[in-house]
Amino acid sequence: MNVKEGQISVLFLKLADLCLLLLALATSLVIYHSPTFYSLDFLSTRVKISNAILCGLLLIVWHFCFKMNGLYLSYRLSSAGEIIRTVTKAVGICSMIIIIAAQINPWRTMNIWTHLGFFGFGVLFIGGYRTLTFYASRRFRKRGINTKSLLIIGGGFISKNFIEKIERRKELGYRILGYLESDSQFNQNKINGYSCLGNFEDLKEVIDKKVVDEVFIALPIKSKYSEIKTAISQLEEQGVVVHILSDFFPHHLARIQPQEFQGFPLLSLHSAPVFHWRTELKRIIDFGIAMVLLILFMPLFAIIAIIIKLDSKGSVFFTQERMGYSKRRFQMVKFRTMGTDAEARMKEIEHLNEKDGAIFKIKNDPRITRVGKYLRKSSLDELPQLFNVLLGDMSLVGPRPLSVRDALRLEESWQKRRFSIRPGMTCLWQISGRSNLSFEEWMALDLEYIDTWSLNLDWWILLKTIPAVITAKGAV
């Protein structure tokens, strides 16, 4: 695709977005106010100059919202999910703008339901259209339509690895021209059939003679910093898109998030779920479910409290300092299942520990009361932790919080990554056998949860917890 064709396609995309936004607004209004009523009302209304100006301003502001969110930049290297997320954000901002506009110029047909309808239909229409064009573009690129010429700077291992991946992804539509390399160790041979076009010093000449749409710099940052800096300066002058295959630090689990602080570019590495609308929704779900369950279980709480009091002396609840998110300590609440001297007797029975690693577990703990044994078997002793969920110390789903004693005994660094998210009432360990698993297996399941976390995984664990609690598999 040449520059003129690219400009036409972007213009068409902009017009389609604005038309679909208007369609989303009209659909929301018509559905809420009924098609017959709204159509007659609309046709009988005179078009005022102020309304026409407001509509024009809305279209202009909507356009800039989409543009500022990068919806008219190349999505060649992105996924369909990233496009949907960006569209959702942009339509959300456009929805907020309508709310403001409706206050400036009274708009009696706009209310909370029509606003929500506009947002929903906007995401549906534009997200669906963008997804269709995304996959259609990939099909065209596979057939050689809308391709881009690509130059690679660097001929070492990074370059070879990258070229192999580009060749496997024909749908990206990249046509590799060749590579530049000054090191005689790498510039003598072809890489996957692509020849060396010269040294780093020949970059300007290559760009002048050949059509180069994009450049990928595949050089080690530490040893080739000056060459990378010179190449970027030359490419910036000619407006060529530059991509840097960074290898600043070795990272196997962390995800890179580029951001900016007061003009300073930052690269943040996250090896745990980052702050996101999903993490916020998880917190809202935690709070809502915990509140509902506490209300429903109040009669059960009262019955358990009475039984505990009748069975043994001491308080109904047992609080213990646990280590939570980022090693912050908090008081975890449970129904008391042991005698009041349980903590004092810990040293005399520590040699009976049946588990490896940092934790302490024995099947027939002499400190457990008669009622406590049943409460533990049925997991009813865990219910007061719903208060911890309400306070934000815990989540419904997450790694089980370790006592300070056990947490301080963790010897392996990789095990401490479990502190990178909030602990939970249930987890993969809870539904996979609990005390039947070794300490290593428990820690591995916690890290598997962190690395693969999603809201769907949380719901799956919550649903699987019900039969796990009923069968009391692995409960001690």
Side-chain angles (χ1 to χ4, degrees), residues 86-311:
T86 309
V87 167
T88 303
K89 180 182 176 183
V91 173
I93 296 172
C94 291
S95 182
M96 295 298 294
I97 290 167
I98 285 189
I99 294 174
I100 296 169
Q103 301 304 315
I104 295 172
N105 189 35
W107 197 342
R108 64 186 179 86
T109 52
M110 291 301 294
N111 54 42
I112 184 64
W113 300 113
T114 49
H115 283 306
L116 290 173
F118 168 73
F119 173 74
F121 286 120
V123 173
L124 178 65
F125 293 160
I126 297 175
Y129 170 69
R130 287 300 187 106
T131 303
L132 286 174
T133 55
F134 174 78
Y135 285 109
S137 297
R138 290 199 160 191
R139 287 182 68 87
F140 287 136
R141 289 174 195 144
K142 277 187 176 181
R143 297 176 182 179
I145 303 171
N146 187 22
T147 59
K148 287 194 174 185
S149 55
L150 177 65
L151 175 67
I152 296 173
I153 299 178
F157 173 76
I158 299 173
S159 178
K160 184 177 184 300
N161 195 22
F162 176 71
I163 288 174
E164 288 174 353
K165 291 183 177 180
I166 286 290
E167 285 192 320
R168 288 197 295 267
R169 299 286 303 279
K170 298 294 183 184
E171 74 276 7
L172 297 179
Y174 281 118
R175 181 170 52 86
I176 300 174
L177 301 174
Y179 70 97
L180 298 177
E181 179 58 71
S182 294
D183 194 333
S184 58
Q185 181 182 353
F186 302 113
N187 63 10
Q188 301 299 317
N189 302 316
K190 290 185 176 182
I191 301 178
N192 288 33
Y194 299 105
S195 303
C196 180
L197 302 178
N199 299 326
F200 296 145
E201 294 79 13
D202 300 322
L203 174 61
K204 192 175 185 302
E205 184 182 349
V206 171
I207 296 172
D208 290 339
K209 290 182 178 180
K210 295 181 179 291
V211 176
V212 179
D213 293 312
E214 297 183 19
V215 173
F216 277 80
I217 299 178
L219 294 171
I221 302 291
K222 290 180 285 187
S223 58
K224 299 291 182 180
Y225 176 78
S226 59
E227 289 88 344
I228 293 171
K229 183 180 178 182
T230 302
I232 291 174
S233 298
Q234 293 177 355
L235 294 166
E236 277 183 332
E237 287 176 359
Q238 301 198 32
V240 179
V241 177
V242 186
H243 304 278
I244 300 176
L245 298 170
S246 63
D247 65 335
F248 294 102
F249 305 102
H251 55 279
H252 305 290
L253 297 167
R255 292 170 290 277
I256 294 178
Q257 180 187 14
Q259 50 189 334
E260 187 176 301
F261 172 72
Q262 298 289 305
F264 290 94
L266 300 175
L267 278 181
S268 303
L269 277 69
H270 300 272
S271 56
V274 295
F275 179 83
H276 195 268
W277 69 265
R278 292 185 185 86
T279 58
E280 290 304 286
L281 183 57
K282 176 182 171 74
R283 176 64 190 135
I284 293 169
I285 292 170
D286 283 343
F287 187 89
I289 293 178
M291 179 67 75
V292 170
L293 291 179
L294 280 171
I295 294 170
L296 291 175
F297 289 154
M298 277 303 168
L300 180 61
F301 273 50
I303 294 169
I304 293 173
I306 293 169
I307 294 172
I308 290 173
K309 276 293 187 182
L310 292 173
D311 180 60

